[in-house]
Amino acid sequence: MAPSMPSLMRVLCALGSVLLLFATLVSADAVLDLQTKGKPALLAQLAKSTTCTKDKIMVRKEWGDMSKPDRKAYIKSVLCLMNAPSKLPAGKFPGAKSRYEDFLVTHMQQTLSIHSTGNFLSWHRYFTWSYEQALRNECGYNGTQPYWDWGRWAADPESSPIFDGSDTSMSGNGKKITHAATFISPAQNGGGCVETGPFANMTVRLGPVSPMADPAPPKNPQADGFGLNARCLRRDLGPYLTKNYATTAIIASLITSYKNVGDFQTVMQGGSGVHSAAHFTIGSDPGGDFYTSPGDPAFYLLHAQIDRVWTIWQMQDLPNRMQVMSGGTQMYGGGATQKLTDSCDISNVASKVWQLKDLMSTVDGPFCYVYDSL
């Protein structure tokens, strides 16, 4: 029997409510909406590129959107890099025993000229991409560098697929121990050695240089932090920083509120910016050390998200935001003014030296990748 008109109206109203709810959920990620909005501009830039084409483009994904086999493939390649011998001159950096640690040495050497500087964004873009290339070319990885969307898991990063301690995670929190707060955040839910997941047995050998962890890690035998100083990987994960400083709404506001790159990157890197919030959500040792943070393998997911946020910011006005930078060549505006013709030299881990102007677009220069979809 056909439904009466009132019954049909109730069904249609209910269906409309469901569709409205679905539409709300679909568009709940304001950062993803901004990425979608900017995609035509990126496609227009891709069409002009002389080095990147649609058939070569690579797509980076959020860890939670990767299949478990793809996560395992990434983890396997990271472990491969950790087990491969260092290519640095023998004896020059006693704590660098692996190819993985070659990247850490590079970051330690240049820390004071790649943070709060004009090249912060472009340098880390090239560094993260070079790491991705090492995983692919030296360890047989066929995928791309994943990212950690802080806002997506802001309420409880420990339960996210990135840090849940499963065999498809980047390992879990450190063992819960009694420890003190840092000046960045209260003591969180770990503080001790990481005992779960693929990196549970990881040995940290370089640093510390500028530690921010309690209890403090043992001092390095060399003042520069390059001596051999074997210890466990520690983390102090918790929601305090992500809930307060790295939600999706905060990330979206960062992208939409600042029209010039100087303001954008200053707020991003500030003490309560998303960059600091993400780093100290991992925290402890070596993740809470300004110099040695790439010693934690989650660093590269964090910085892929930094790169994604910058990319989305650029895409909102790409013609006017691609070839722009602001800042000096030393921390906090010191040194000479950074120029687009300055070099990015990370020759410990990447043989080619590029000018910064060549590193400003993800579809030009050495790069040929996008985030989430083409």
Side-chain angles (χ1 to χ4, degrees):
M1 184 174 66
S4 65
M5 184 59 68
S7 297
L8 181 59
M9 290 298 294
R10 282 196 295 271
V11 170
L12 291 173
C13 288
L15 180 59
S17 298
V18 170
L19 291 174
L20 180 61
L21 176 61
F22 178 74
T24 302
L25 290 172
V26 167
S27 63
D29 188 336
V31 176
L32 187 60
D33 289 347
L34 289 166
Q35 181 173 279
T36 301
K37 175 188 171 187
K39 194 60 64 71
L42 192 65
L43 290 173
Q45 183 62 30
L46 174 62
K48 295 187 289 185
S49 177
T50 59
T51 56
C52 180
T53 57
K54 281 188 176 182
D55 61 312
K56 294 196 302 182
I57 203 95
M58 300 182 71
V59 179
R60 291 181 175 179
K61 297 181 179 180
E62 212 278 337
W63 187 262
D65 293 330
M66 295 170 65
S67 69
K68 288 186 176 181
D70 286 348
R71 292 181 208 164
K72 286 185 175 182
Y74 178 80
I75 292 164
K76 181 181 178 182
S77 67
V78 174
L79 290 170
C80 161
L81 213 61
M82 289 179 174
N83 289 314
S86 170
K87 295 184 179 181
L88 298 178
K92 188 172 182 180
F93 306 98
K97 302 296 184 183
S98 71
R99 184 63 172 147
Y100 178 86
E101 286 158 333
D102 292 352
F103 283 84
L104 178 49
V105 166
T106 302
H107 189 273
M108 291 170 68
Q109 287 178 315
Q110 301 189 37
T111 288
L112 297 180
S113 61
I114 57 172
H115 296 94
S116 298
T117 51
N119 67 350
F120 166 73
L121 293 165
S122 51
W123 190 95
H124 283 84
R125 171 174 284 175
Y126 188 41
F127 184 68
T128 303
W129 177 85
S130 297
Y131 179 78
E132 177 185 51
Q133 296 306 297
L135 297 179
R136 290 174 57 83
N137 299 330
E138 300 176 37
C139 285
Y141 180 51
N142 292 320
T144 57
Q145 174 60 48
Y147 68 91
W148 162 28
D149 182 351
W150 325 298
R152 183 170 176 175
W153 315 106
D156 188 7
E158 279 184 270
S159 68
S160 74
I162 305 164
F163 295 116
D164 65 11
S166 67
D167 64 351
T168 58
S169 72
M170 295 301 293
S171 276
N173 203 354
K175 182 179 180 180
K176 188 171 180 60
I177 62 171
T178 301
H179 61 292
T182 68
F183 78 86
I184 297 291
S185 75
Q188 294 292 283
N189 300 330
C193 297
V194 171
E195 297 181 336
T196 58
F199 303 100
N201 297 315
M202 180 180 166
T203 299
V204 176
R205 286 180 279 256
L206 289 158
V209 178
S210 181
M212 195 183 300
D214 182 79
K219 288 186 177 181
N220 194 280
Q222 296 184 195
D224 59 11
F226 293 125
L228 177 59
N229 188 22
R231 59 203 189 276
C232 69
L233 171 68
R234 292 165 53 196
R235 286 178 180 158
D236 190 24
L237 294 169
Y240 175 82
L241 290 169
T242 47
K243 284 176 67 175
N244 286 287
Y245 304 111
T247 63
T248 297
I250 289 170
I251 300 166
S253 178
L254 172 66
I255 293 167
T256 58
S257 297
Y258 303 98
K259 305 304 181 185
N260 70 76
V261 71
D263 292 341
F264 169 76
Q265 69 183 19
T266 296
V267 174
M268 171 185 271
Q269 293 183 84
S272 58
V274 295
H275 178 247
S276 297
H279 272 294
F280 290 105
T281 290
I282 298 172
S284 203
D285 175 49
D289 187 316
F290 188 51
Y291 290 75
T292 64
S293 52
D296 189 307
F299 170 95
Y300 295 95
L301 281 73
L302 184 165
H303 263 279
Q305 169 73 348
I306 289 285
D307 183 66
R308 174 177 177 251
V309 172
W310 178 34
T311 301
I312 296 171
W313 179 85
Q314 289 181 302
M315 289 160 60
Q316 304 312 296
D317 186 11
L318 193 59
N320 295 311
R321 294 186 181 184
M322 192 169 72
Q323 291 292 330
V324 293
M325 63 169 49
S326 175
T329 54
Q330 295 296 317
M331 280 187 64
Y332 306 122
T337 300
Q338 196 91 64
K339 302 186 297 297
L340 287 165
T341 52
D342 288 344
S343 295
C344 182
D345 183 351
I346 55 171
S347 50
N348 288 342
V349 293
S351 58
K352 184 156 184 179
V353 176
W354 293 86
Q355 290 186 333
L356 296 176
K357 65 182 178 64
D358 297 315
L359 307 177
M360 307 302 280
S361 161
T362 67
V363 294
D364 291 288
F367 308 128
C368 192
Y369 66 87
V370 294
Y371 287 95
D372 299 305
S373 65
L374 183 62

